[in-house]
Amino acid sequence: MDLSLTPEQEQFRTLARDWVDREVVPHAAEWDRAEHVDLKIVRQLGELGFLGLGIDEELGGSGGDFLSYCLMMEELGRGDTSVRGIVSVSLGLVAKSIQAHGTEEQQVRWLPGLTSGATLGCFALTEPGTGSDAGNLTMRAVRDGDDWILNGEKIFITNGTWAGLVLCFARTGKEAGPKGITAFLVPADAPGLGRHEIKGKLGLRGQATAALTFEDVRVSDTDRLGGEGAGFTIAMSALDKGRIAVAAGSVGLARGCLEAAIGYATQRTQFGKPIAAHQLVQEMLTDIAVETDAARLLVWRAADLVDRRRPFRTEASMAKLFATEAAVKAANQAVQVFGGYGYVDEFPVGKALRDARVTTLYEGTSQIQKLLIGRALTGISAF
Protein backbone atom coordinates (compact mmCIF):
# COMPACT_ATOMS: atom_id res chain seq x y z
CA MET A 1 0.00 0.00 0.00
CA ASP A 2 1.34 3.41 -1.01
CA LEU A 3 1.06 5.68 2.02
CA SER A 4 1.58 8.91 0.12
CA LEU A 5 -1.30 11.16 -0.91
CA THR A 6 -1.81 12.49 -4.41
CA PRO A 7 -1.52 16.26 -4.95
CA GLU A 8 -5.31 16.36 -5.33
CA GLN A 9 -5.81 14.60 -2.00
CA GLU A 10 -3.34 16.90 -0.27
CA GLN A 11 -5.12 19.92 -1.71
CA PHE A 12 -8.49 18.59 -0.59
CA ARG A 13 -7.22 17.88 2.92
CA THR A 14 -5.89 21.43 3.16
CA LEU A 15 -9.26 22.79 2.01
CA ALA A 16 -11.06 20.75 4.66
CA ARG A 17 -8.57 21.69 7.38
CA ASP A 18 -8.78 25.41 6.64
CA TRP A 19 -12.57 25.39 6.56
CA VAL A 20 -12.77 23.49 9.86
CA ASP A 21 -10.33 25.91 11.52
CA ARG A 22 -12.34 28.87 10.28
CA GLU A 23 -15.97 27.73 10.56
CA VAL A 24 -16.08 24.92 13.13
CA VAL A 25 -13.34 25.14 15.77
CA PRO A 26 -14.25 28.67 16.98
CA HIS A 27 -17.87 27.62 17.59
CA ALA A 28 -17.56 24.05 18.90
CA ALA A 29 -17.82 24.93 22.60
CA GLU A 30 -20.75 27.27 21.99
CA TRP A 31 -22.63 24.62 19.99
CA ASP A 32 -21.94 22.06 22.69
CA ARG A 33 -23.41 24.32 25.38
CA ALA A 34 -26.42 25.21 23.23
CA GLU A 35 -26.92 21.58 22.20
CA HIS A 36 -27.34 22.76 18.61
CA VAL A 37 -24.89 23.47 15.82
CA ASP A 38 -25.56 26.40 13.52
CA LEU A 39 -27.27 24.73 10.57
CA LYS A 40 -25.94 27.31 8.13
CA ILE A 41 -22.86 25.11 7.96
CA VAL A 42 -24.91 22.43 6.19
CA ARG A 43 -25.22 24.68 3.14
CA GLN A 44 -21.52 25.46 3.37
CA LEU A 45 -20.72 21.77 3.45
CA GLY A 46 -22.80 21.36 0.32
CA GLU A 47 -21.19 24.31 -1.48
CA LEU A 48 -17.72 22.95 -0.76
CA GLY A 49 -18.68 19.57 -2.19
CA PHE A 50 -18.24 17.82 1.15
CA LEU A 51 -21.82 16.46 1.17
CA GLY A 52 -21.36 15.08 -2.34
CA LEU A 53 -17.99 13.41 -1.95
CA GLY A 54 -18.13 9.99 -3.58
CA ILE A 55 -21.45 10.71 -5.34
CA ASP A 56 -21.47 10.83 -9.15
CA GLU A 57 -21.25 14.33 -10.54
CA GLU A 58 -24.27 13.86 -12.81
CA LEU A 59 -26.34 13.30 -9.67
CA GLY A 60 -25.11 16.49 -8.01
CA GLY A 61 -22.10 14.97 -6.31
CA SER A 62 -18.46 15.96 -6.43
CA GLY A 63 -16.90 12.57 -7.17
CA GLY A 64 -13.73 11.65 -5.34
CA ASP A 65 -12.34 8.49 -3.81
CA PHE A 66 -12.96 6.92 -0.43
CA LEU A 67 -9.60 7.91 1.02
CA SER A 68 -10.46 11.56 0.33
CA TYR A 69 -13.72 10.98 2.17
CA CYS A 70 -11.74 9.69 5.15
CA LEU A 71 -9.42 12.70 5.04
CA MET A 72 -12.50 14.91 5.29
CA MET A 73 -13.88 12.83 8.16
CA GLU A 74 -10.61 13.24 10.06
CA GLU A 75 -10.66 17.02 9.72
CA LEU A 76 -14.33 17.28 10.68
CA GLY A 77 -13.72 14.99 13.66
CA ARG A 78 -10.84 17.17 14.75
CA GLY A 79 -13.04 20.26 14.71
CA ASP A 80 -16.28 18.88 16.16
CA THR A 81 -17.34 15.27 15.84
CA SER A 82 -20.98 16.43 15.92
CA VAL A 83 -20.39 18.00 12.51
CA ARG A 84 -18.62 14.87 11.35
CA GLY A 85 -21.68 12.86 12.33
CA ILE A 86 -24.02 15.07 10.33
CA VAL A 87 -22.00 14.42 7.18
CA SER A 88 -21.19 10.75 7.67
CA VAL A 89 -24.86 9.87 8.26
CA SER A 90 -26.47 12.04 5.57
CA LEU A 91 -23.81 11.34 2.95
CA GLY A 92 -22.16 8.10 4.00
CA LEU A 93 -25.18 6.11 5.16
CA VAL A 94 -28.08 7.66 3.25
CA ALA A 95 -26.92 9.29 -0.01
CA LYS A 96 -24.40 6.59 -0.84
CA SER A 97 -27.02 3.89 -0.15
CA ILE A 98 -29.35 5.60 -2.61
CA GLN A 99 -26.59 5.79 -5.21
CA ALA A 100 -25.73 2.11 -4.70
CA HIS A 101 -29.22 0.62 -4.47
CA GLY A 102 -31.73 3.22 -5.64
CA THR A 103 -33.68 3.45 -8.86
CA GLU A 104 -32.91 6.24 -11.28
CA GLU A 105 -36.09 7.99 -10.13
CA GLN A 106 -35.01 7.79 -6.48
CA GLN A 107 -31.52 9.05 -7.29
CA VAL A 108 -32.83 12.02 -9.27
CA ARG A 109 -35.42 12.83 -6.61
CA TRP A 110 -33.14 12.78 -3.56
CA LEU A 111 -29.44 13.01 -4.36
CA PRO A 112 -29.22 16.62 -5.64
CA GLY A 113 -30.80 17.91 -2.43
CA LEU A 114 -28.70 15.71 -0.18
CA THR A 115 -25.44 16.66 -1.89
CA SER A 116 -26.21 20.40 -1.97
CA GLY A 117 -27.20 20.59 1.69
CA ALA A 118 -30.77 21.57 0.81
CA THR A 119 -31.85 18.55 2.81
CA LEU A 120 -30.31 16.06 5.22
CA GLY A 121 -30.84 12.35 5.54
CA CYS A 122 -31.09 10.14 8.62
CA PHE A 123 -30.56 6.38 8.96
CA ALA A 124 -33.36 4.80 10.99
CA LEU A 125 -32.19 1.33 11.98
CA THR A 126 -31.84 1.21 15.79
CA GLU A 127 -34.93 0.53 17.87
CA PRO A 128 -35.59 0.76 21.62
CA GLY A 129 -35.23 -3.02 21.90
CA THR A 130 -32.74 -3.74 19.11
CA GLY A 131 -29.32 -2.13 18.93
CA SER A 132 -26.49 -4.54 18.22
CA ASP A 133 -29.01 -7.24 17.23
CA ALA A 134 -30.27 -5.26 14.22
CA GLY A 135 -31.41 -8.38 12.40
CA ASN A 136 -34.25 -8.80 14.89
CA LEU A 137 -35.85 -5.38 14.59
CA THR A 138 -39.59 -5.27 15.21
CA MET A 139 -40.84 -2.30 13.19
CA ARG A 140 -43.26 -3.56 10.55
CA ALA A 141 -44.26 -2.57 7.04
CA VAL A 142 -47.46 -4.16 5.68
CA ARG A 143 -48.34 -4.15 2.00
CA ASP A 144 -51.55 -2.29 1.06
CA GLY A 145 -51.99 -2.36 -2.70
CA ASP A 146 -49.25 -0.22 -4.24
CA ASP A 147 -48.35 1.20 -0.81
CA TRP A 148 -46.77 0.10 2.44
CA ILE A 149 -48.02 0.99 5.94
CA LEU A 150 -45.21 1.47 8.48
CA ASN A 151 -45.63 1.13 12.24
CA GLY A 152 -42.97 1.12 14.95
CA GLU A 153 -40.31 3.12 16.76
CA LYS A 154 -36.70 4.08 16.17
CA ILE A 155 -34.23 5.52 18.69
CA PHE A 156 -30.86 7.34 18.73
CA ILE A 157 -31.27 8.56 15.14
CA THR A 158 -28.63 11.11 14.14
CA ASN A 159 -30.08 14.08 12.19
CA GLY A 160 -33.50 12.74 13.12
CA THR A 161 -35.24 16.09 13.73
CA TRP A 162 -33.32 17.91 10.98
CA ALA A 163 -33.65 15.41 8.15
CA GLY A 164 -35.89 15.79 5.14
CA LEU A 165 -35.48 12.10 4.32
CA VAL A 166 -35.57 9.03 6.54
CA LEU A 167 -33.93 5.85 5.33
CA CYS A 168 -35.99 3.42 7.40
CA PHE A 169 -35.71 -0.32 7.89
CA ALA A 170 -38.78 -2.40 8.68
CA ARG A 171 -39.83 -6.02 8.78
CA THR A 172 -41.92 -6.98 5.74
CA GLY A 173 -41.57 -10.75 5.74
CA LYS A 174 -43.16 -13.27 8.05
CA GLU A 175 -39.86 -14.92 8.85
CA ALA A 176 -37.74 -13.72 11.75
CA GLY A 177 -34.20 -12.49 11.32
CA PRO A 178 -32.37 -10.45 8.69
CA LYS A 179 -34.08 -11.92 5.61
CA GLY A 180 -37.40 -10.33 6.49
CA ILE A 181 -36.18 -6.70 6.51
CA THR A 182 -36.80 -4.12 3.77
CA ALA A 183 -35.54 -0.54 3.35
CA PHE A 184 -37.78 2.45 2.60
CA LEU A 185 -37.15 6.10 1.70
CA VAL A 186 -39.65 8.01 3.82
CA PRO A 187 -40.15 11.77 3.39
CA ALA A 188 -39.81 13.36 6.83
CA ASP A 189 -43.12 15.20 6.44
CA ALA A 190 -45.08 11.99 5.89
CA PRO A 191 -48.32 11.96 7.95
CA GLY A 192 -47.96 9.81 11.05
CA LEU A 193 -44.21 10.26 11.40
CA GLY A 194 -43.31 11.79 14.76
CA ARG A 195 -39.85 13.09 15.67
CA HIS A 196 -38.66 13.94 19.16
CA GLU A 197 -35.17 15.21 19.95
CA ILE A 198 -33.22 13.47 22.71
CA LYS A 199 -31.67 16.01 25.07
CA GLY A 200 -29.23 15.64 27.94
CA LYS A 201 -26.67 13.52 26.09
CA LEU A 202 -23.21 13.04 27.55
CA GLY A 203 -21.56 14.09 24.30
CA LEU A 204 -22.37 14.94 20.67
CA ARG A 205 -24.57 17.66 22.09
CA GLY A 206 -24.46 19.83 19.00
CA GLN A 207 -25.90 17.03 16.90
CA ALA A 208 -29.62 16.32 16.70
CA THR A 209 -30.35 12.81 17.99
CA ALA A 210 -33.97 11.75 17.87
CA ALA A 211 -36.59 9.18 18.66
CA LEU A 212 -38.91 8.50 15.71
CA THR A 213 -42.43 7.08 15.85
CA PHE A 214 -44.31 5.66 12.87
CA GLU A 215 -48.07 5.45 13.19
CA ASP A 216 -49.68 4.15 10.00
CA VAL A 217 -47.14 5.98 7.85
CA ARG A 218 -48.03 5.31 4.22
CA VAL A 219 -45.35 5.19 1.54
CA SER A 220 -45.50 4.09 -2.07
CA ASP A 221 -43.82 0.92 -3.24
CA THR A 222 -41.74 3.24 -5.43
CA ASP A 223 -40.19 4.46 -2.16
CA ARG A 224 -38.83 1.00 -1.40
CA LEU A 225 -35.02 0.98 -1.63
CA GLY A 226 -33.83 -2.26 -3.17
CA GLY A 227 -35.76 -5.50 -3.22
CA GLU A 228 -38.10 -6.87 -0.60
CA GLY A 229 -36.01 -8.57 2.07
CA ALA A 230 -32.82 -6.78 0.98
CA GLY A 231 -32.90 -4.18 3.75
CA PHE A 232 -30.50 -5.85 6.14
CA THR A 233 -27.90 -6.31 3.40
CA ILE A 234 -28.27 -2.63 2.45
CA ALA A 235 -27.88 -1.55 6.09
CA MET A 236 -24.81 -3.69 6.72
CA SER A 237 -23.17 -2.58 3.49
CA ALA A 238 -23.60 1.04 4.53
CA LEU A 239 -22.36 0.38 8.05
CA ASP A 240 -19.24 -1.44 6.86
CA LYS A 241 -18.06 1.77 5.20
CA GLY A 242 -19.60 3.89 7.93
CA ARG A 243 -17.34 2.23 10.46
CA ILE A 244 -14.32 3.44 8.52
CA ALA A 245 -15.76 6.97 8.57
CA VAL A 246 -16.29 6.80 12.35
CA ALA A 247 -12.71 5.57 12.69
CA ALA A 248 -11.41 8.44 10.56
CA GLY A 249 -13.35 10.96 12.63
CA SER A 250 -11.94 9.37 15.78
CA VAL A 251 -8.43 9.85 14.41
CA GLY A 252 -9.26 13.52 13.99
CA LEU A 253 -10.62 13.76 17.51
CA ALA A 254 -7.47 12.15 18.91
CA ARG A 255 -5.30 14.44 16.82
CA GLY A 256 -7.17 17.45 18.13
CA CYS A 257 -6.52 16.25 21.66
CA LEU A 258 -2.82 15.85 20.92
CA GLU A 259 -2.51 19.32 19.42
CA ALA A 260 -4.38 20.89 22.34
CA ALA A 261 -2.32 18.96 24.91
CA ILE A 262 1.00 19.90 23.30
CA GLY A 263 -0.05 23.54 23.12
CA TYR A 264 -1.03 23.58 26.77
CA ALA A 265 1.96 21.57 28.00
CA THR A 266 4.48 23.86 26.32
CA GLN A 267 2.88 26.96 27.89
CA ARG A 268 1.90 25.76 31.36
CA THR A 269 4.69 26.11 33.92
CA GLN A 270 5.08 24.02 37.09
CA PHE A 271 8.16 23.47 39.25
CA GLY A 272 9.96 26.20 37.35
CA LYS A 273 9.62 24.82 33.83
CA PRO A 274 6.97 24.00 31.22
CA ILE A 275 5.15 20.81 32.11
CA ALA A 276 6.15 19.49 28.68
CA ALA A 277 9.66 19.17 30.10
CA HIS A 278 8.51 16.59 32.64
CA GLN A 279 9.01 13.04 31.45
CA LEU A 280 5.64 11.69 32.58
CA VAL A 281 3.85 14.42 30.65
CA GLN A 282 5.94 13.57 27.61
CA GLU A 283 4.91 9.95 28.08
CA MET A 284 1.23 10.88 27.90
CA LEU A 285 1.80 12.97 24.78
CA THR A 286 3.78 10.13 23.23
CA ASP A 287 1.04 7.59 23.91
CA ILE A 288 -1.52 9.83 22.22
CA ALA A 289 0.72 10.45 19.21
CA VAL A 290 1.61 6.79 18.63
CA GLU A 291 -1.96 5.51 18.91
CA THR A 292 -3.28 8.31 16.70
CA ASP A 293 -0.81 7.50 13.93
CA ALA A 294 -1.48 3.77 14.26
CA ALA A 295 -5.23 4.38 14.02
CA ARG A 296 -4.76 6.53 10.92
CA LEU A 297 -2.80 3.76 9.21
CA LEU A 298 -5.61 1.29 9.90
CA VAL A 299 -8.11 3.76 8.43
CA TRP A 300 -6.00 4.34 5.34
CA ARG A 301 -5.57 0.60 4.82
CA ALA A 302 -9.33 0.03 4.93
CA ALA A 303 -9.95 3.03 2.64
CA ASP A 304 -7.37 1.75 0.17
CA LEU A 305 -9.17 -1.60 0.01
CA VAL A 306 -12.47 0.16 -0.65
CA ASP A 307 -10.93 2.21 -3.47
CA ARG A 308 -9.41 -0.91 -5.03
CA ARG A 309 -12.73 -2.76 -4.70
CA ARG A 310 -11.22 -5.42 -2.48
CA PRO A 311 -12.89 -7.05 0.56
CA PHE A 312 -12.59 -4.69 3.51
CA ARG A 313 -15.13 -5.70 6.16
CA THR A 314 -12.64 -7.12 8.67
CA GLU A 315 -10.21 -4.24 8.13
CA ALA A 316 -13.08 -1.79 8.68
CA SER A 317 -13.87 -3.45 12.00
CA MET A 318 -10.22 -3.34 13.02
CA ALA A 319 -9.99 0.36 12.17
CA LYS A 320 -13.22 1.17 13.99
CA LEU A 321 -12.28 -0.83 17.08
CA PHE A 322 -8.78 0.56 17.44
CA ALA A 323 -9.44 4.18 16.45
CA THR A 324 -12.48 4.70 18.68
CA GLU A 325 -10.81 3.17 21.71
CA ALA A 326 -7.69 5.23 20.95
CA ALA A 327 -9.80 8.39 20.81
CA VAL A 328 -11.23 7.72 24.27
CA LYS A 329 -7.73 7.14 25.67
CA ALA A 330 -6.35 10.21 23.89
CA ALA A 331 -9.06 12.45 25.30
CA ASN A 332 -8.63 11.00 28.77
CA GLN A 333 -4.85 11.55 28.64
CA ALA A 334 -5.36 15.08 27.33
CA VAL A 335 -7.61 15.90 30.28
CA GLN A 336 -4.84 14.61 32.54
CA VAL A 337 -2.31 16.90 30.85
CA PHE A 338 -4.60 19.89 31.33
CA GLY A 339 -5.21 18.99 34.96
CA GLY A 340 -8.09 20.89 36.55
CA TYR A 341 -8.48 23.10 33.50
CA GLY A 342 -9.30 20.04 31.45
CA TYR A 343 -12.43 19.63 33.54
CA VAL A 344 -13.79 23.03 32.48
CA ASP A 345 -15.57 23.46 29.15
CA GLU A 346 -13.61 26.62 28.36
CA PHE A 347 -10.97 24.16 27.14
CA PRO A 348 -11.67 21.59 24.40
CA VAL A 349 -10.45 18.32 25.89
CA GLY A 350 -13.34 17.69 28.28
CA LYS A 351 -15.78 17.93 25.39
CA ALA A 352 -13.52 15.64 23.38
CA LEU A 353 -13.71 13.01 26.11
CA ARG A 354 -17.50 13.19 26.22
CA ASP A 355 -17.74 13.05 22.43
CA ALA A 356 -15.23 10.21 22.08
CA ARG A 357 -17.08 7.94 24.46
CA VAL A 358 -20.01 7.30 22.14
CA THR A 359 -17.81 6.33 19.19
CA THR A 360 -17.22 2.95 20.86
CA LEU A 361 -21.01 2.39 20.90
CA TYR A 362 -22.63 3.40 17.62
CA GLU A 363 -22.28 1.75 14.21
CA GLY A 364 -21.26 -1.41 16.03
CA THR A 365 -19.92 -1.47 19.59
CA SER A 366 -16.31 -2.38 20.31
CA GLN A 367 -17.56 -5.77 21.45
CA ILE A 368 -19.40 -6.34 18.15
CA GLN A 369 -16.23 -5.42 16.24
CA LYS A 370 -14.29 -8.00 18.24
CA LEU A 371 -16.90 -10.64 17.44
CA LEU A 372 -16.72 -9.79 13.72
CA ILE A 373 -12.93 -9.88 13.71
CA GLY A 374 -12.91 -13.12 15.68
CA ARG A 375 -15.33 -14.73 13.23
CA ALA A 376 -13.14 -13.65 10.31
CA LEU A 377 -10.05 -15.12 11.98
CA THR A 378 -11.58 -18.45 12.94
CA GLY A 379 -14.49 -18.98 10.58
CA ILE A 380 -16.67 -19.57 13.64
CA SER A 381 -19.59 -17.24 14.35
CA ALA A 382 -20.16 -16.04 17.90
CA PHE A 383 -23.70 -14.93 17.07
Side-chain angles (χ1 to χ4, degrees):
M1 174 184 173
D2 184 359
L3 296 180
S4 63
L5 300 178
T6 66
E8 292 77 14
Q9 289 168 335
E10 290 279 13
Q11 184 178 17
F12 178 75
R13 180 165 65 173
T14 299
L15 171 68
R17 180 180 299 159
D18 291 346
W19 182 81
V20 167
D21 284 339
R22 184 176 63 252
E23 301 293 342
V24 177
V25 171
H27 307 292
E30 171 192 345
W31 294 340
D32 181 65
R33 292 171 188 144
E35 296 192 55
H36 198 289
V37 305
D38 187 342
L39 287 178
K40 73 178 183 182
I41 66 165
V42 174
R43 281 289 193 176
Q44 294 180 30
L45 289 162
E47 291 168 359
L48 288 166
F50 291 177
L51 285 171
L53 199 62
I55 302 296
D56 294 340
E57 294 181 17
E58 58 267 27
L59 295 171
S62 48
D65 56 20
F66 195 77
L67 179 54
S68 295
Y69 177 69
C70 289
L71 297 175
M72 175 180 68
M73 290 291 103
E74 178 176 336
E75 294 303 328
L76 294 177
R78 178 181 62 86
D80 187 345
T81 200
S82 289
V83 177
R84 193 274 312 158
I86 293 170
V87 178
S88 62
V89 170
S90 188
L91 169 58
L93 299 185
V94 179
K96 290 186 177 182
S97 292
I98 295 173
Q99 176 169 256
H101 304 284
T103 64
E104 181 178 357
E105 178 185 359
Q106 290 169 340
Q107 292 171 349
V108 170
R109 178 183 180 187
W110 292 111
L111 290 181
L114 290 169
T115 56
S116 69
T119 191
L120 286 172
C122 67
F123 188 82
L125 179 65
T126 301
E127 297 180 353
T130 54
S132 296
D133 191 11
N136 281 314
L137 59 81
T138 60
M139 180 170 172
R140 296 204 63 86
V142 177
R143 191 72 180 253
D144 183 29
D146 292 333
D147 295 338
W148 294 87
I149 309 299
L150 279 63
N151 282 282
E153 298 177 53
K154 299 293 181 178
I155 194 75
F156 303 132
I157 307 304
T158 299
N159 297 342
T161 52
W162 295 340
L165 172 65
V166 181
L167 173 50
C168 181
F169 298 87
R171 185 166 301 283
T172 53
K174 294 182 180 179
E175 67 272 30
K179 292 183 179 180
I181 297 171
T182 301
F184 296 92
L185 298 171
V186 183
D189 60 358
L193 174 55
R195 303 188 286 172
H196 313 280
E197 187 167 356
I198 298 170
K199 292 287 190 179
K201 294 176 294 182
L202 177 67
L204 295 183
R205 293 189 173 187
Q207 184 185 95
T209 304
L212 308 182
T213 57
F214 295 76
E215 297 182 5
D216 293 330
V217 174
R218 180 180 293 270
V219 297
S220 168
D221 188 54
T222 60
D223 293 320
R224 172 172 43 83
L225 183 66
E228 289 185 43
F232 187 79
T233 299
I234 292 172
M236 293 304 105
S237 176
L239 289 174
D240 284 340
K241 291 182 180 178
R243 286 165 181 161
I244 306 175
V246 172
S250 297
V251 171
L253 191 152
R255 195 181 106 220
C257 288
L258 178 62
E259 292 171 357
I262 291 173
Y264 182 81
T266 54
Q267 296 297 318
R268 173 71 165 171
T269 299
Q270 291 287 276
F271 304 103
K273 57 184 176 181
I275 64 171
H278 296 285
Q279 289 181 336
L280 292 181
V281 174
Q282 291 183 3
E283 179 186 41
M284 289 189 285
L285 298 176
T286 298
D287 288 345
I288 299 172
V290 171
E291 294 208 357
T292 300
D293 279 5
R296 182 182 296 107
L297 290 174
L298 287 171
V299 169
W300 285 20
R301 179 180 69 164
D304 177 69
L305 290 171
V306 172
D307 283 331
R308 291 191 289 118
R309 301 184 184 278
R310 299 286 301 278
F312 64 89
R313 176 170 292 177
T314 301
E315 289 78 7
S317 287
M318 288 180 174
K320 204 271 184 182
L321 170 64
F322 187 87
T324 57
E325 295 289 347
V328 174
K329 288 188 281 186
N332 195 44
Q333 291 279 54
V335 170
Q336 196 71 15
V337 171
F338 271 75
Y341 291 105
Y343 214 64
V344 180
D345 71 355
E346 180 182 350
F347 298 90
V349 291
K351 175 184 181 300
L353 180 58
R354 291 186 286 104
D355 287 346
R357 190 61 188 83
V358 75
T359 64
T360 68
L361 302 177
Y362 58 27
E363 299 199 28
T365 65
S366 291
Q367 287 68 37
I368 288 293
Q369 305 313 317
K370 289 180 179 180
L371 291 176
L372 293 172
I373 295 165
R375 179 169 62 185
L377 293 173
T378 64
I380 301 173
S381 176
F383 298 108

